[in-house]
Amino acid sequence: MTTRYSMRLPELESLIAMLGEPAYRARQLHEGLFRQRRPLDALTNIPRALRARLAGELPLAFAVDMTLLADDDTTAKWLWRAADGAQIETVLMRYSARATVCVSSQAGCAMGCTFCATGQAGFERHLSVGEVVEQVLRAQHASPQRVSNVVFMGMGEPLANTDTVIDACTRLHEDVGISARHLTVSTVGVVPGMERLTDFDLPVTLAVSLHAPDDALREQLVPLNRRYPLAAVLDAARAYAERKGRRVSFEYACISGVNDLPHQADALAGRLTGFRGGAHVNLIPLNDTAGYPGRPSDADRIATFAERLRAGGVQATVRRNRGTSIDAACGQLRARTP
Ligand code: SAH
Ligand code: SF4
């Protein structure tokens, strides 16, 4: 489907030609929408009548269902609705000089991780490349700071929609001008997708969601572990680090009494060896969800876990949960909306 951000320059040139307009209008349009990141309405170098025609030819993919602000308005979350009714969410995190956008790659997710609100709700459909790019640009329109980073950590499993995610990364880099290293693809460990990303020529950052130091526990939290066990996931991550010369990071949602015990930190450090650039673990307290009884670890427990990782030679960062008051993480807003 053609939407506002689904076309690259050659397709925009065909559209402009079809409308009987001079070719330079396509370059103005492309430059304004993508490189300058301005809304179509604000492209005053294009005559108003043409902008109105373009608005009809290039409809937005999403209507706003809901916008929420938190943390002194430095975190914003949108719940969008596509024409077919699919709902997805996007989060904008603003810092003093720049901003990060967290995008969804699918409406829902088929991976079924037990602690994840998106996984609890199931899979609806893949998003298109235009829908991914639209999330970034519409968040940019609401941000005085330049969007410098994009993380694929919203709804969905990016490496279950790999063609789209690779295409979106290419466009965000080439058309929108975001550094490839500042594009982060987070995966639950879809090994064939990780291999494809290894062969992709842009040095995007890979994050792998681990949540457990052994297969027995990981299977309970992440059903996909039965298909791609920890050893295979870590081997694919090592190959990625080697090929790209980049540090790989790991996400670890800390669940009280389940995966946050000191001996589990030691076991995790023991498995994260042999990574070029070292392994880096982000520790995030679990967000409560309706469908999972686990509780977030308390701060002391997480700090101890981080220390044990460091003692084992693994870099560890304790992440503050931004936007918790608006459920700005992991499919929780949609889960609450009928
Ligand atoms: N499907 C991908 C990316 C989207 S989820 C993945 O799983 O990596 C983004 C991150 O949020 C993942 O690390 C995921 O494990 C984490 N997450 C999901 N539900 C969570 C919850 N309830 N609390 C804390 N982190 C959660
Ligand atoms: Fe899907 Fe990621 Fe949630 Fe697992 S954690 S269900 S892979 S979105």
Side-chain angles (χ1 to χ4, degrees):
M1 194 175 98
T2 297
T3 56
R4 183 134 329 154
Y5 303 104
S6 66
M7 292 185 171
R8 301 193 76 184
L9 185 57
E11 291 105 333
L12 289 176
E13 284 171 341
S14 308
L15 173 68
I16 288 289
M18 189 195 81
L19 295 174
E21 297 286 337
Y24 71 90
R25 293 290 183 209
R27 290 190 295 278
Q28 283 180 326
L29 180 62
H30 186 264
E31 174 82 14
L33 290 182
F34 295 99
R35 187 59 66 154
Q36 297 170 357
R37 311 179 183 184
R38 291 155 75 203
L40 177 58
D41 243 14
L43 306 183
T44 47
N45 56 342
I46 297 176
R48 183 189 298 267
L50 177 54
R51 271 183 280 151
R53 287 178 75 193
L54 288 168
E57 297 288 339
L58 299 173
L60 289 167
F62 300 125
V64 180
D65 247 15
M66 205 187 300
T67 313
L68 294 171
L69 296 169
D71 301 340
D72 299 327
D73 296 356
T74 57
T75 302
K77 172 159 172 164
W78 290 268
L79 179 67
W80 311 106
R81 187 184 294 271
D84 65 356
Q87 285 180 301
I88 61 125
E89 36 185 68
T90 306
V91 178
L92 167 71
M93 288 158 283
R94 300 196 288 116
Y95 305 90
S96 52
R98 55 174 198 87
T100 294
V101 178
C102 175
V103 295
S104 296
S105 54
Q106 301 177 313
C109 183
M111 299 297 156
C113 303
T114 49
F115 56 89
C116 170
T118 308
Q120 290 157 14
F123 178 73
E124 199 170 343
R125 70 164 168 85
H126 292 303
L127 297 192
S128 65
V129 61
E131 288 176 322
V132 175
V133 174
E134 180 165 329
Q135 294 173 64
V136 176
L137 289 170
R138 291 181 72 178
Q140 175 71 81
H141 299 162
S143 172
Q145 292 85 1
R146 185 175 171 84
V147 172
S148 59
N149 293 63
V150 174
V151 296
F152 287 80
M153 292 186 183
M155 297 168 68
E157 167 49 45
L159 298 183
N161 190 13
T162 313
D163 287 334
T164 297
V165 167
I166 284 180
D167 194 358
C169 287
T170 303
R171 295 180 192 206
L172 290 171
H173 175 61
E174 292 179 3
D175 296 354
V176 184
I178 297 174
S179 149
R181 286 158 189 271
H182 294 169
L183 302 170
T184 299
V185 175
S186 174
T187 181
V188 71
V190 183
V191 169
M194 293 169 73
E195 291 167 350
R196 286 204 46 212
L197 209 62
T198 305
D199 291 335
F200 175 44
D201 50 10
L202 290 181
V204 302
T205 299
L206 178 67
V208 180
S209 299
L210 280 187
H211 311 311
D214 59 77
D215 286 318
L217 177 59
R218 195 163 187 268
E219 277 177 17
Q220 290 172 28
L221 300 170
V222 176
L224 190 73
N225 195 76
R226 282 182 220 120
R227 187 120 143 246
Y228 304 114
L230 212 39
V233 172
L234 293 177
D235 279 348
R238 280 187 195 95
Y240 192 90
E242 227 25 78
R243 176 81 69 87
K244 307 270 175 176
R246 308 275 342 260
R247 189 177 80 172
V248 172
S249 57
F250 296 94
E251 310 293 303
Y252 199 94
C254 298
I255 311 171
S256 184
V258 172
N259 66 357
D260 64 349
L261 304 171
H263 78 268
Q264 291 171 314
D266 298 343
L268 183 61
R271 298 206 70 150
L272 295 181
T273 54
F275 275 90
R276 187 195 172 107
H280 183 268
V281 177
N282 285 307
L283 300 167
I284 312 144
L286 179 80
N287 279 303
D288 285 317
T289 57
Y292 181 72
R295 302 282 307 149
S297 309
D298 63 36
D300 289 353
R301 189 70 78 76
I302 300 179
T304 303
F305 199 93
E307 277 160 29
R308 302 282 282 242
L309 285 178
R310 289 184 199 116
V314 171
Q315 301 151 57
T317 307
V318 179
R319 278 231 229 126
R320 189 167 72 89
N321 244 329
R322 239 175 129 155
T324 327
S325 65
I326 53 170
D327 292 339
C330 321
Q332 294 177 47
L333 174 62
R334 177 173 170 269
R336 271 199 193 171
T337 318

